[in-house]
PDB file of all heavy atoms in Angstrom:
ATOM      1  N   TYR R1184     133.368 100.079  72.105  1.00  0.00           N
ATOM      2  CA  TYR R1184     133.219 101.518  72.298  1.00  0.00           C
ATOM      3  C   TYR R1184     131.856 101.858  72.912  1.00  0.00           C
ATOM      4  O   TYR R1184     130.925 101.061  72.888  1.00  0.00           O
ATOM      5  CB  TYR R1184     133.365 102.239  70.951  1.00  0.00           C
ATOM      6  CG  TYR R1184     134.749 102.115  70.361  1.00  0.00           C
ATOM      7  CD1 TYR R1184     135.049 101.112  69.443  1.00  0.00           C
ATOM      8  CD2 TYR R1184     135.761 102.990  70.743  1.00  0.00           C
ATOM      9  CE1 TYR R1184     136.327 100.995  68.900  1.00  0.00           C
ATOM     10  CE2 TYR R1184     137.037 102.877  70.214  1.00  0.00           C
ATOM     11  CZ  TYR R1184     137.311 101.883  69.294  1.00  0.00           C
ATOM     12  OH  TYR R1184     138.582 101.767  68.771  1.00  0.00           O
ATOM     13  N   GLY R1185     131.808 103.061  73.488  1.00  0.00           N
ATOM     14  CA  GLY R1185     130.542 103.532  74.027  1.00  0.00           C
ATOM     15  C   GLY R1185     130.137 102.838  75.310  1.00  0.00           C
ATOM     16  O   GLY R1185     130.971 102.539  76.172  1.00  0.00           O
ATOM     17  N   THR R1186     128.861 102.521  75.412  1.00  0.00           N
ATOM     18  CA  THR R1186     128.287 101.994  76.653  1.00  0.00           C
ATOM     19  C   THR R1186     128.995 100.750  77.184  1.00  0.00           C
ATOM     20  O   THR R1186     129.227 100.664  78.401  1.00  0.00           O
ATOM     21  CB  THR R1186     126.787 101.703  76.463  1.00  0.00           C
ATOM     22  OG1 THR R1186     126.122 102.922  76.094  1.00  0.00           O
ATOM     23  CG2 THR R1186     126.174 101.172  77.740  1.00  0.00           C
ATOM     24  N   PRO R1187     129.357  99.751  76.366  1.00  0.00           N
ATOM     25  CA  PRO R1187     130.043  98.572  76.928  1.00  0.00           C
ATOM     26  C   PRO R1187     131.326  98.929  77.681  1.00  0.00           C
ATOM     27  O   PRO R1187     131.590  98.386  78.762  1.00  0.00           O
ATOM     28  CB  PRO R1187     130.337  97.725  75.683  1.00  0.00           C
ATOM     29  CG  PRO R1187     129.285  98.112  74.712  1.00  0.00           C
ATOM     30  CD  PRO R1187     129.086  99.584  74.922  1.00  0.00           C
ATOM     31  N   GLY R1188     132.105  99.851  77.102  1.00  0.00           N
ATOM     32  CA  GLY R1188     133.331 100.269  77.784  1.00  0.00           C
ATOM     33  C   GLY R1188     133.040 101.045  79.052  1.00  0.00           C
ATOM     34  O   GLY R1188     133.726 100.882  80.074  1.00  0.00           O
ATOM     35  N   HIS R1189     132.020 101.904  78.997  1.00  0.00           N
ATOM     36  CA  HIS R1189     131.647 102.680  80.184  1.00  0.00           C
ATOM     37  C   HIS R1189     131.209 101.756  81.319  1.00  0.00           C
ATOM     38  O   HIS R1189     131.598 101.923  82.483  1.00  0.00           O
ATOM     39  CB  HIS R1189     130.493 103.647  79.855  1.00  0.00           C
ATOM     40  CG  HIS R1189     130.748 104.545  78.689  1.00  0.00           C
ATOM     41  ND1 HIS R1189     132.007 104.785  78.175  1.00  0.00           N
ATOM     42  CD2 HIS R1189     129.874 105.270  77.927  1.00  0.00           C
ATOM     43  CE1 HIS R1189     131.899 105.625  77.155  1.00  0.00           C
ATOM     44  NE2 HIS R1189     130.621 105.924  76.985  1.00  0.00           N
ATOM     45  N   GLU R1190     130.396 100.766  80.977  1.00  0.00           N
ATOM     46  CA  GLU R1190     129.887  99.843  81.982  1.00  0.00           C
ATOM     47  C   GLU R1190     131.000  98.980  82.565  1.00  0.00           C
ATOM     48  O   GLU R1190     130.990  98.651  83.760  1.00  0.00           O
ATOM     49  CB  GLU R1190     128.799  98.956  81.364  1.00  0.00           C
ATOM     50  CG  GLU R1190     127.473  99.664  81.139  1.00  0.00           C
ATOM     51  CD  GLU R1190     126.794 100.042  82.456  1.00  0.00           C
ATOM     52  OE1 GLU R1190     126.697  99.170  83.345  1.00  0.00           O
ATOM     53  OE2 GLU R1190     126.384 101.207  82.591  1.00  0.00           O
ATOM     54  N   ALA R1191     131.960  98.597  81.724  1.00  0.00           N
ATOM     55  CA  ALA R1191     133.081  97.787  82.208  1.00  0.00           C
ATOM     56  C   ALA R1191     133.861  98.528  83.280  1.00  0.00           C
ATOM     57  O   ALA R1191     134.260  97.938  84.298  1.00  0.00           O
ATOM     58  CB  ALA R1191     133.998  97.413  81.039  1.00  0.00           C
ATOM     59  N   LEU R1192     134.065  99.824  83.085  1.00  0.00           N
ATOM     60  CA  LEU R1192     134.775 100.617  84.081  1.00  0.00           C
ATOM     61  C   LEU R1192     133.917 100.820  85.323  1.00  0.00           C
ATOM     62  O   LEU R1192     134.384 100.639  86.459  1.00  0.00           O
ATOM     63  CB  LEU R1192     135.166 101.973  83.477  1.00  0.00           C
ATOM     64  CG  LEU R1192     135.971 102.915  84.386  1.00  0.00           C
ATOM     65  CD1 LEU R1192     137.311 102.282  84.770  1.00  0.00           C
ATOM     66  CD2 LEU R1192     136.208 104.260  83.684  1.00  0.00           C
ATOM     67  N   LYS R1193     132.663 101.128  85.112  1.00  0.00           N
ATOM     68  CA  LYS R1193     131.751 101.382  86.237  1.00  0.00           C
ATOM     69  C   LYS R1193     131.608 100.144  87.131  1.00  0.00           C
ATOM     70  O   LYS R1193     131.560 100.259  88.369  1.00  0.00           O
ATOM     71  CB  LYS R1193     130.388 101.802  85.702  1.00  0.00           C
ATOM     72  CG  LYS R1193     129.336 102.032  86.769  1.00  0.00           C
ATOM     73  CD  LYS R1193     127.995 102.408  86.142  1.00  0.00           C
ATOM     74  CE  LYS R1193     126.904 102.575  87.191  1.00  0.00           C
ATOM     75  NZ  LYS R1193     125.594 102.926  86.569  1.00  0.00           N
ATOM     76  N   ASN R1194     131.549  98.972  86.514  1.00  0.00           N
ATOM     77  CA  ASN R1194     131.311  97.737  87.267  1.00  0.00           C
ATOM     78  C   ASN R1194     132.584  97.037  87.733  1.00  0.00           C
ATOM     79  O   ASN R1194     132.512  95.940  88.286  1.00  0.00           O
ATOM     80  CB  ASN R1194     130.484  96.766  86.414  1.00  0.00           C
ATOM     81  CG  ASN R1194     129.099  97.322  86.095  1.00  0.00           C
ATOM     82  OD1 ASN R1194     128.513  98.041  86.896  1.00  0.00           O
ATOM     83  ND2 ASN R1194     128.586  97.004  84.907  1.00  0.00           N
ATOM     84  N   GLY R1195     133.733  97.653  87.500  1.00  0.00           N
ATOM     85  CA  GLY R1195     134.980  97.081  87.997  1.00  0.00           C
ATOM     86  C   GLY R1195     135.569  95.989  87.129  1.00  0.00           C
ATOM     87  O   GLY R1195     136.532  95.332  87.536  1.00  0.00           O
ATOM     88  N   VAL R1196     135.018  95.771  85.944  1.00  0.00           N
ATOM     89  CA  VAL R1196     135.616  94.797  85.026  1.00  0.00           C
ATOM     90  C   VAL R1196     136.989  95.302  84.592  1.00  0.00           C
ATOM     91  O   VAL R1196     137.936  94.529  84.418  1.00  0.00           O
ATOM     92  CB  VAL R1196     134.712  94.574  83.793  1.00  0.00           C
ATOM     93  CG1 VAL R1196     135.382  93.636  82.787  1.00  0.00           C
ATOM     94  CG2 VAL R1196     133.361  94.011  84.234  1.00  0.00           C
ATOM     95  N   THR R1197     137.112  96.614  84.411  1.00  0.00           N
ATOM     96  CA  THR R1197     138.395  97.250  84.167  1.00  0.00           C
ATOM     97  C   THR R1197     138.680  98.217  85.317  1.00  0.00           C
ATOM     98  O   THR R1197     137.747  98.768  85.923  1.00  0.00           O
ATOM     99  CB  THR R1197     138.406  98.022  82.840  1.00  0.00           C
ATOM    100  OG1 THR R1197     137.346  98.988  82.845  1.00  0.00           O
ATOM    101  CG2 THR R1197     138.227  97.068  81.662  1.00  0.00           C
ATOM    102  N   ASP R1198     139.960  98.402  85.601  1.00  0.00           N
ATOM    103  CA  ASP R1198     140.355  99.346  86.651  1.00  0.00           C
ATOM    104  C   ASP R1198     140.567 100.742  86.094  1.00  0.00           C
ATOM    105  O   ASP R1198     140.454 101.740  86.813  1.00  0.00           O
ATOM    106  CB  ASP R1198     141.660  98.872  87.311  1.00  0.00           C
ATOM    107  CG  ASP R1198     141.522  97.486  87.914  1.00  0.00           C
ATOM    108  OD1 ASP R1198     140.690  97.330  88.825  1.00  0.00           O
ATOM    109  OD2 ASP R1198     142.244  96.564  87.474  1.00  0.00           O
ATOM    110  N   ALA R1199     140.935 100.780  84.832  1.00  0.00           N
ATOM    111  CA  ALA R1199     141.168 102.042  84.133  1.00  0.00           C
ATOM    112  C   ALA R1199     140.827 101.812  82.667  1.00  0.00           C
ATOM    113  O   ALA R1199     140.682 100.671  82.219  1.00  0.00           O
ATOM    114  CB  ALA R1199     142.617 102.491  84.281  1.00  0.00           C
ATOM    115  N   ALA R1200     140.675 102.887  81.932  1.00  0.00           N
ATOM    116  CA  ALA R1200     140.389 102.776  80.498  1.00  0.00           C
ATOM    117  C   ALA R1200     141.079 103.918  79.787  1.00  0.00           C
ATOM    118  O   ALA R1200     141.496 104.912  80.408  1.00  0.00           O
ATOM    119  CB  ALA R1200     138.888 102.814  80.241  1.00  0.00           C
ATOM    120  N   ILE R1201     141.214 103.758  78.484  1.00  0.00           N
ATOM    121  CA  ILE R1201     141.755 104.836  77.649  1.00  0.00           C
ATOM    122  C   ILE R1201     140.651 105.267  76.703  1.00  0.00           C
ATOM    123  O   ILE R1201     140.053 104.444  76.008  1.00  0.00           O
ATOM    124  CB  ILE R1201     142.993 104.378  76.862  1.00  0.00           C
ATOM    125  CG1 ILE R1201     144.092 103.931  77.820  1.00  0.00           C
ATOM    126  CG2 ILE R1201     143.500 105.516  75.966  1.00  0.00           C
ATOM    127  CD1 ILE R1201     145.286 103.310  77.123  1.00  0.00           C
ATOM    128  N   SER R1202     140.365 106.556  76.715  1.00  0.00           N
ATOM    129  CA  SER R1202     139.359 107.098  75.816  1.00  0.00           C
ATOM    130  C   SER R1202     139.899 108.395  75.242  1.00  0.00           C
ATOM    131  O   SER R1202     141.028 108.801  75.546  1.00  0.00           O
ATOM    132  CB  SER R1202     138.042 107.329  76.556  1.00  0.00           C
ATOM    133  OG  SER R1202     137.011 107.728  75.666  1.00  0.00           O
ATOM    134  N   PHE R1203     139.125 109.031  74.392  1.00  0.00           N
ATOM    135  CA  PHE R1203     139.515 110.332  73.850  1.00  0.00           C
ATOM    136  C   PHE R1203     138.598 111.385  74.446  1.00  0.00           C
ATOM    137  O   PHE R1203     137.525 111.070  74.985  1.00  0.00           O
ATOM    138  CB  PHE R1203     139.465 110.318  72.324  1.00  0.00           C
ATOM    139  CG  PHE R1203     138.112 110.030  71.741  1.00  0.00           C
ATOM    140  CD1 PHE R1203     137.331 111.044  71.231  1.00  0.00           C
ATOM    141  CD2 PHE R1203     137.619 108.729  71.705  1.00  0.00           C
ATOM    142  CE1 PHE R1203     136.075 110.775  70.695  1.00  0.00           C
ATOM    143  CE2 PHE R1203     136.370 108.446  71.166  1.00  0.00           C
ATOM    144  CZ  PHE R1203     135.593 109.470  70.666  1.00  0.00           C
ATOM    145  N   THR R1204     139.033 112.629  74.371  1.00  0.00           N
ATOM    146  CA  THR R1204     138.331 113.683  75.106  1.00  0.00           C
ATOM    147  C   THR R1204     136.863 113.809  74.696  1.00  0.00           C
ATOM    148  O   THR R1204     135.999 114.032  75.542  1.00  0.00           O
ATOM    149  CB  THR R1204     139.057 115.025  74.912  1.00  0.00           C
ATOM    150  OG1 THR R1204     139.321 115.222  73.513  1.00  0.00           O
ATOM    151  CG2 THR R1204     140.381 115.030  75.661  1.00  0.00           C
ATOM    152  N   GLY R1205     136.583 113.668  73.397  1.00  0.00           N
ATOM    153  CA  GLY R1205     135.186 113.722  72.963  1.00  0.00           C
ATOM    154  C   GLY R1205     134.375 112.577  73.526  1.00  0.00           C
ATOM    155  O   GLY R1205     133.217 112.737  73.916  1.00  0.00           O
ATOM    156  N   GLY R1206     134.975 111.389  73.565  1.00  0.00           N
ATOM    157  CA  GLY R1206     134.297 110.225  74.132  1.00  0.00           C
ATOM    158  C   GLY R1206     134.046 110.387  75.617  1.00  0.00           C
ATOM    159  O   GLY R1206     133.005 109.951  76.144  1.00  0.00           O
ATOM    160  N   ILE R1207     134.993 111.010  76.312  1.00  0.00           N
ATOM    161  CA  ILE R1207     134.825 111.249  77.746  1.00  0.00           C
ATOM    162  C   ILE R1207     133.685 112.235  77.980  1.00  0.00           C
ATOM    163  O   ILE R1207     132.887 112.083  78.919  1.00  0.00           O
ATOM    164  CB  ILE R1207     136.145 111.763  78.353  1.00  0.00           C
ATOM    165  CG1 ILE R1207     137.222 110.672  78.251  1.00  0.00           C
ATOM    166  CG2 ILE R1207     135.951 112.174  79.810  1.00  0.00           C
ATOM    167  CD1 ILE R1207     138.618 111.155  78.537  1.00  0.00           C
ATOM    168  N   ALA R1208     133.585 113.238  77.121  1.00  0.00           N
ATOM    169  CA  ALA R1208     132.467 114.186  77.230  1.00  0.00           C
ATOM    170  C   ALA R1208     131.144 113.457  77.060  1.00  0.00           C
ATOM    171  O   ALA R1208     130.177 113.721  77.783  1.00  0.00           O
ATOM    172  CB  ALA R1208     132.615 115.285  76.180  1.00  0.00           C
ATOM    173  N   ARG R1209     131.092 112.527  76.115  1.00  0.00           N
ATOM    174  CA  ARG R1209     129.850 111.768  75.902  1.00  0.00           C
ATOM    175  C   ARG R1209     129.544 110.878  77.103  1.00  0.00           C
ATOM    176  O   ARG R1209     128.373 110.663  77.450  1.00  0.00           O
ATOM    177  CB  ARG R1209     129.947 110.942  74.617  1.00  0.00           C
ATOM    178  CG  ARG R1209     129.964 111.801  73.380  1.00  0.00           C
ATOM    179  CD  ARG R1209     129.586 111.009  72.137  1.00  0.00           C
ATOM    180  NE  ARG R1209     130.612 110.085  71.714  1.00  0.00           N
ATOM    181  CZ  ARG R1209     131.633 110.402  70.929  1.00  0.00           C
ATOM    182  NH1 ARG R1209     131.780 111.661  70.528  1.00  0.00           N
ATOM    183  NH2 ARG R1209     132.500 109.503  70.554  1.00  0.00           N
ATOM    184  N   MET R1210     130.593 110.329  77.737  1.00  0.00           N
ATOM    185  CA  MET R1210     130.388 109.531  78.946  1.00  0.00           C
ATOM    186  C   MET R1210     129.716 110.366  80.019  1.00  0.00           C
ATOM    187  O   MET R1210     128.755 109.928  80.666  1.00  0.00           O
ATOM    188  CB  MET R1210     131.736 109.017  79.479  1.00  0.00           C
ATOM    189  CG  MET R1210     132.370 107.894  78.696  1.00  0.00           C
ATOM    190  SD  MET R1210     133.915 107.323  79.452  1.00  0.00           S
ATOM    191  CE  MET R1210     133.294 106.472  80.911  1.00  0.00           C
ATOM    192  N   LYS R1211     130.223 111.568  80.219  1.00  0.00           N
ATOM    193  CA  LYS R1211     129.682 112.428  81.272  1.00  0.00           C
ATOM    194  C   LYS R1211     128.240 112.837  80.958  1.00  0.00           C
ATOM    195  O   LYS R1211     127.399 112.906  81.861  1.00  0.00           O
ATOM    196  CB  LYS R1211     130.581 113.651  81.446  1.00  0.00           C
ATOM    197  CG  LYS R1211     131.960 113.284  82.014  1.00  0.00           C
ATOM    198  CD  LYS R1211     132.847 114.505  82.232  1.00  0.00           C
ATOM    199  CE  LYS R1211     134.160 114.121  82.877  1.00  0.00           C
ATOM    200  NZ  LYS R1211     135.059 115.281  83.093  1.00  0.00           N
ATOM    201  N   VAL R1212     127.981 113.098  79.677  1.00  0.00           N
ATOM    202  CA  VAL R1212     126.616 113.423  79.265  1.00  0.00           C
ATOM    203  C   VAL R1212     125.678 112.258  79.567  1.00  0.00           C
ATOM    204  O   VAL R1212     124.519 112.443  79.951  1.00  0.00           O
ATOM    205  CB  VAL R1212     126.586 113.775  77.766  1.00  0.00           C
ATOM    206  CG1 VAL R1212     125.159 113.728  77.230  1.00  0.00           C
ATOM    207  CG2 VAL R1212     127.190 115.159  77.530  1.00  0.00           C
ATOM    208  N   ALA R1213     126.197 111.031  79.390  1.00  0.00           N
ATOM    209  CA  ALA R1213     125.386 109.832  79.625  1.00  0.00           C
ATOM    210  C   ALA R1213     125.255 109.500  81.110  1.00  0.00           C
ATOM    211  O   ALA R1213     124.575 108.531  81.470  1.00  0.00           O
ATOM    212  CB  ALA R1213     125.984 108.638  78.881  1.00  0.00           C
ATOM    213  N   GLY R1214     125.905 110.273  81.976  1.00  0.00           N
ATOM    214  CA  GLY R1214     125.751 110.084  83.411  1.00  0.00           C
ATOM    215  C   GLY R1214     126.853 109.300  84.093  1.00  0.00           C
ATOM    216  O   GLY R1214     126.747 108.977  85.279  1.00  0.00           O
ATOM    217  N   TYR R1215     127.925 108.986  83.367  1.00  0.00           N
ATOM    218  CA  TYR R1215     129.046 108.261  83.975  1.00  0.00           C
ATOM    219  C   TYR R1215     130.028 109.267  84.566  1.00  0.00           C
ATOM    220  O   TYR R1215     130.451 110.214  83.893  1.00  0.00           O
ATOM    221  CB  TYR R1215     129.758 107.399  82.936  1.00  0.00           C
ATOM    222  CG  TYR R1215     128.923 106.263  82.402  1.00  0.00           C
ATOM    223  CD1 TYR R1215     128.131 106.433  81.276  1.00  0.00           C
ATOM    224  CD2 TYR R1215     128.917 105.021  83.037  1.00  0.00           C
ATOM    225  CE1 TYR R1215     127.345 105.401  80.779  1.00  0.00           C
ATOM    226  CE2 TYR R1215     128.133 103.978  82.549  1.00  0.00           C
ATOM    227  CZ  TYR R1215     127.357 104.171  81.424  1.00  0.00           C
ATOM    228  OH  TYR R1215     126.592 103.149  80.941  1.00  0.00           O
TER     229      TYR R1215
END
């Protein structure tokens, strides 16, 4: 959860991910 998952998507380790709306808000706050 959190940064490892965000980085995996950003760096192409994953093509897509499943998150929840609150987690997505935190991603955007963190600059993703």
Side-chain angles (χ1 to χ4, degrees):
Y1184 294 94
T1186 301
H1189 306 342
E1190 286 293 312
L1192 182 62
K1193 177 182 177 181
N1194 297 327
V1196 176
T1197 57
D1198 301 298
I1201 300 173
S1202 186
F1203 61 102
T1204 48
I1207 295 168
R1209 291 199 288 274
M1210 286 182 72
K1211 292 182 176 179
V1212 164
Y1215 294 91

